[in-house]
Amino acid sequence: MSNVIDLNSRRKQAEHKRKEARSNALKERFENALPSEEQDPKKKLLGLFKRKDKDKKKPRKPTPSGDGW
């Protein structure tokens, strides 16, 4: 009777391993797509959403009361 195997715990362990493998694969794809020298994950993520060119502004839309309308 000591040879009882709990299948649910084995399934959970296998599922957890698959999730970790998918997570690592996704991290690798992400790192290859947007390489960064930053090692801190929070700073890497913050770097994605920061504006790259602050001095380059979009041209303003023409106003109806100006010339050209």
Side-chain angles (χ1 to χ4, degrees):
M1 291 272 220
S2 64
N3 293 335
V4 176
I5 299 173
D6 185 15
L7 292 178
N8 286 334
S9 67
R10 296 290 176 128
R11 285 184 187 133
K12 286 182 183 178
Q13 288 175 354
E15 183 182 356
H16 185 70
K17 284 184 180 180
R18 283 193 300 269
K19 283 183 180 180
E20 283 185 347
R22 281 184 277 170
S23 172
N24 289 338
L26 188 63
K27 284 179 187 177
E28 283 295 319
R29 286 178 57 198
F30 182 74
E31 187 63 34
N32 289 339
L34 296 169
S36 173
E37 299 85 29
E38 197 64 51
Q39 294 299 323
D40 186 24
K42 288 182 182 178
K43 288 184 181 179
K44 274 187 186 180
L45 188 61
L46 186 62
L48 290 175
F49 298 105
K50 283 187 178 177
R51 274 198 151 165
K52 302 295 181 197
D53 300 318
K54 290 185 179 181
D55 56 347
K56 290 185 179 179
K57 295 185 179 178
K58 293 181 181 178
R60 293 181 59 178
K61 293 182 181 177
T63 57
S65 62
D67 56 319
W69 277 76

